[in-house]
């Protein structure tokens, strides 16, 4: 098998280019290569794949496809978010599959899934009707001598994180938060972790932020709002709920510079909802390679619901308003948000259900300038992410692993 001496960044989606950017930019282009996971990748849509290839080619980065090199080449060092597995047959999955298709599916048909979540804090469906016959297995260790797990976001299910299948797949773990670092050390005590913070948000670029203001034609006399809704909660909504959300944003848009960034997958998973956003006349950011920190940095207020966006706002110490969706409580149980960091943090933040929607425009200005709320955000930030002055530098860690330093 051929050995590749370049440092490899494994890509499962376009958004990972932004996640890795502040790390790979510390290396010369001759030292790195990107590996695009086109192998059994149901999350990488054709347009996404084209966007990735165009971006890498335009910026003169070397890249290869997993389907081309698998079984033929091995990298000296590979960095991956561990976001995607490949499918393999496992005997134990055979029995789990038939349980899911029988008992699990019956639980879904009888609409008992949420009940069991509430009653036992467990999911007894094993995937139910969506269960797959083949088992999820990770491939990083098959194609690299040294593997590094890279943070794929900030939200964590504190009950199940980290994935037990990562133990033998990754040699080192870069972590984004104190909680993430602690959970990995508890489950994998023999593995080395490095707290690096959220490297996606390392840099502040005034020039790029000014370009963003010009691109979206911001009025300098107005405050800025960045809205970043989560895909899965929108998929559970009906059309009228989405229309109500858009109406809410339009009210804010009259007084503020508002940018809405629908989740990139929404255009494929729910085209009808994506079209509603496109036709809304709201300012949409649809750039798949946007460095999201620029959007957050400009914001005087972030509006989010679930997911990493909630925690990203806190990481940057931004005031955040939680948007409450229709039938949200049942969805919290369905997606196990009682055990997820975003779901737990939401209880400490201001929600739209706590504000009279008819008067929200009048009160939002005071809310944005509320120092006591800002202090609460800072306290939450410190409890989750710790002292940023103590973070390790990821590019330095990768160089030392690559050079076979033994001091770890």
């Amino acid at each position: 098998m051929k050995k590749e001496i370049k440092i490899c960044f494994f890509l499962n989606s376009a958004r990972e280019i932004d996640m890795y950017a502040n790390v790979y930019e510390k290396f010369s282009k001759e030292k790195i290569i990107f590996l695009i996971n086109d192998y059994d990748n149901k999350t990488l849509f054709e347009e996404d794949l084209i966007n990735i290839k165009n971006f890498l080619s335009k910026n003169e980065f070397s890249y290869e496809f997993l389907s081309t090199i698998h079984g033929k080449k091995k990298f000296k060092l590979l960095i991956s978010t561990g976001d995607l597995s490949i499918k393999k047959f496992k005997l134990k999955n055979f029995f789990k599959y038939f349980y899911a298709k029988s008992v699990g599916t019956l639980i879904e048909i009888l609409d008992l899934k949420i009940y069991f979540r509430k009653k036992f804090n467990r999911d007894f469906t094993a995937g139910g009707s969506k269960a797959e016959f083949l088992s999820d297995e990770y491939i990083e260790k098959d194609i690299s001598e040294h593997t590094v797990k890279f943070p794929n976001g900030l939200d964590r299910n504190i009950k199940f994180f980290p994935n037990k299948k990562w133990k033998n797949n990754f040699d080192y773990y870069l972590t984004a938060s104190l909680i993430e670092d602690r959970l990995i050390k508890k489950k994998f005590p023999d593995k080395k972790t490095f707290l690096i913070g959220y490297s996606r948000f390392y840099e502040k670029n005034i020039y790029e932020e000014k370009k963003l203001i010009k691109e979206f034609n911001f009025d300098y006399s107005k405050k800025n709002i960045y809205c970043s809704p989560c895909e899965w909660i929108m998929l559970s909504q009906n059309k009228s709920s989405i229309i109500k959300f858009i109406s809410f944003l339009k009210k804010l848009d009259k007084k503020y510079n508002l940018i809405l960034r629908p989740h990139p997958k929404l255009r494929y998973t729910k085209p009808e909802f994506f079209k509603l956003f496109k036709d809304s006349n709201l300012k949409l950011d649809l750039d798949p390679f946007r460095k999201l920190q620029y959007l957050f940095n400009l914001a005087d207020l972030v509006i989010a619901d679930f997911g990493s966006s909630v925690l990203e706002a806190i990481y940057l110490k931004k005031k955040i308003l939680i948007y409450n969706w229709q039938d949200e409580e049942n969805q919290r149980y369905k997606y196990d948000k009682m055990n997820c960091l975003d779901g737990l943090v939401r209880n400490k933040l201001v929600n739209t259900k706590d504000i009279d929607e008819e008067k929200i425009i009048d009160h939002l200005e005071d809310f944005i300038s509320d120092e006591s709320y800002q202090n609460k955000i800072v306290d939450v930030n410190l409890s989750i992410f710790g002292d940023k002055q103590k973070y390790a530098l990821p590019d330095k860690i990768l160089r030392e692993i690559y050079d076979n330093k033994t001091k770890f």
Side-chain angles (χ1 to χ4, degrees), residues 5-257:
I5 62 171
K6 290 183 178 181
I7 296 174
C8 177
F9 289 87
F10 198 22
L11 291 175
N12 294 304
S13 66
R15 75 185 188 121
E16 290 184 348
I17 291 177
D18 178 33
M19 286 184 174
Y20 293 137
N22 289 329
V23 179
Y24 69 68
E25 287 174 354
K26 298 293 192 302
F27 297 90
S28 67
K29 291 181 179 178
E30 292 74 26
K31 295 281 187 181
I32 64 173
I33 187 169
F34 290 90
L35 181 63
I36 302 172
N37 187 354
D38 62 334
Y39 186 70
D40 194 29
N41 189 340
K42 295 179 181 178
T43 67
L44 195 59
F45 297 95
E46 185 63 29
E47 186 176 344
D48 207 25
L49 181 60
I50 292 171
N51 286 335
I52 291 173
K53 290 192 295 183
N54 288 344
F55 176 86
L56 296 176
S57 297
K58 179 181 177 182
N59 290 277
E60 300 180 333
F61 287 112
S62 298
Y63 66 90
E64 292 190 278
F65 295 95
L66 178 60
S67 60
T68 303
I69 66 96
H70 188 215
K72 301 175 183 177
K73 181 180 289 190
K74 201 161 189 173
F75 298 92
K76 183 176 181 180
L77 175 62
L78 180 139
I79 300 93
S80 171
T81 62
D83 256 359
L84 202 65
S85 57
I86 64 171
K87 304 297 181 183
K88 288 185 178 180
F89 174 78
K90 286 285 184 74
L91 184 60
K92 65 179 181 179
N93 200 64
F94 176 81
F95 297 107
K96 180 181 176 182
Y97 174 79
F98 281 101
Y99 168 87
K101 289 297 185 179
S102 53
V103 178
T105 301
L106 181 61
I107 291 173
E108 290 179 338
I109 293 172
L110 297 176
D111 203 19
L112 294 173
K113 183 175 181 177
I114 293 174
Y115 169 78
F116 284 129
R117 282 278 194 192
K118 291 180 179 180
K119 185 75 173 176
F120 303 104
N121 196 20
R122 283 190 61 189
D123 181 359
F124 289 93
T125 65
S129 59
K130 295 182 179 179
E132 297 186 359
F133 184 72
L134 300 177
S135 173
D136 290 327
E137 299 297 327
Y138 290 87
I139 199 171
E140 282 84 352
K141 200 61 183 173
D142 291 344
I143 56 175
S144 180
E145 292 182 0
H146 302 285
T147 53
V148 178
K149 171 69 176 68
F150 196 86
N152 62 337
L154 296 177
D155 189 22
R156 294 288 173 252
N157 186 313
I158 60 176
K159 185 177 179 181
F160 298 109
F161 184 88
N163 187 332
K164 62 183 180 181
K165 292 184 179 181
W166 290 345
K167 182 176 182 179
N168 296 322
N169 191 57
F170 292 105
D171 303 309
Y172 305 94
Y173 293 78
L174 305 183
T175 60
S177 68
L178 294 172
I179 293 173
E180 181 180 36
D181 200 78
R182 186 163 59 246
L183 290 171
I184 292 173
K185 285 177 177 175
K186 182 179 179 180
K187 206 167 195 179
F188 306 149
D190 59 330
K191 298 293 184 178
K192 181 65 179 176
T193 66
F194 301 92
L195 180 61
I196 65 167
Y198 198 45
S199 63
R200 193 179 193 181
F201 287 175
Y202 275 1
E203 68 173 35
K204 184 174 177 65
N205 191 315
I206 301 298
Y207 172 73
E208 291 294 338
E209 288 166 21
K210 285 183 177 179
K211 279 174 58 179
L212 198 60
I213 290 172
K214 185 177 181 181
E215 178 183 342
F216 288 99
N217 194 27
F218 273 13
D219 182 340
Y220 280 91
S221 67
K222 296 180 179 181
K223 295 286 180 63
N224 305 325
I225 296 177
Y226 171 48
C227 182
S228 180
C230 194
E231 180 207 19
W232 65 263
I233 189 68
M234 284 194 288
L235 293 180
S236 68
Q237 303 301 309
N238 56 35
K239 184 177 179 180
S240 63
S241 181
I242 299 296
I243 292 173
K244 181 181 178 182
F245 176 58
I246 291 173
S247 176
F248 167 75
L249 296 181
K250 281 188 170 183
K251 289 180 183 178
L252 303 185
D253 190 51
K254 291 178 181 178
K255 188 174 180 179
Y256 300 93
N257 297 312

Side-chain angles (χ1 to χ4, degrees), residues 249-387:
L249 296 181
K250 281 188 170 183
K251 289 180 183 178
L252 303 185
D253 190 51
K254 291 178 181 178
K255 188 174 180 179
Y256 300 93
N257 297 312
L258 186 143
I259 293 181
L260 168 65
R261 185 177 174 87
H263 194 282
K265 291 182 184 177
L266 191 68
R267 69 167 72 214
Y268 313 114
T269 55
K270 200 70 174 180
E272 177 189 7
F273 290 175
F274 185 77
K275 187 176 187 303
L276 288 174
F277 288 124
K278 286 275 287 184
D279 295 341
S280 68
N281 290 322
L282 291 167
K283 292 184 175 70
L284 305 184
D285 178 48
L286 303 176
D287 184 348
F289 303 109
R290 176 82 66 198
K291 288 196 174 184
L292 296 188
Q293 184 174 357
Y294 302 153
L295 294 169
F296 278 99
N297 283 344
L298 285 175
D300 297 291
L301 175 69
V302 175
I303 297 177
D305 39 38
F306 287 95
S308 275
S309 294
V310 175
L311 297 154
E312 287 168 347
I314 292 172
Y315 185 83
L316 293 172
K317 302 176 184 176
K318 292 290 181 177
K319 286 194 180 72
I320 181 169
L321 176 64
I322 298 296
Y323 184 82
N324 296 101
W325 290 93
Q326 183 176 300
D327 191 35
E328 184 177 287
E329 191 61 22
N330 283 336
Q331 299 307 318
R332 282 166 62 93
Y333 280 96
K334 181 178 179 181
Y335 291 96
D336 201 19
K337 286 299 172 178
M338 314 83 64
N339 294 310
C340 289
L341 194 54
D342 63 336
L344 297 171
V345 166
R346 279 168 50 105
N347 299 328
K348 303 177 182 180
L349 306 172
V350 176
N351 287 249
T352 53
K353 66 180 180 182
D354 302 323
I355 302 174
D356 185 343
E357 190 174 320
E358 295 302 317
K359 299 179 181 178
I360 193 168
I361 301 299
D362 298 329
H363 295 305
L364 211 56
E365 193 72 31
D366 293 334
F367 173 69
I368 290 174
S369 58
D370 185 351
E371 283 302 314
S372 63
Y373 188 43
Q374 181 64 48
N375 292 336
K376 178 185 283 190
I377 296 291
V378 172
D379 289 342
V380 174
N381 169 285
L382 189 61
S383 68
I384 296 174
F385 300 108
D387 183 359

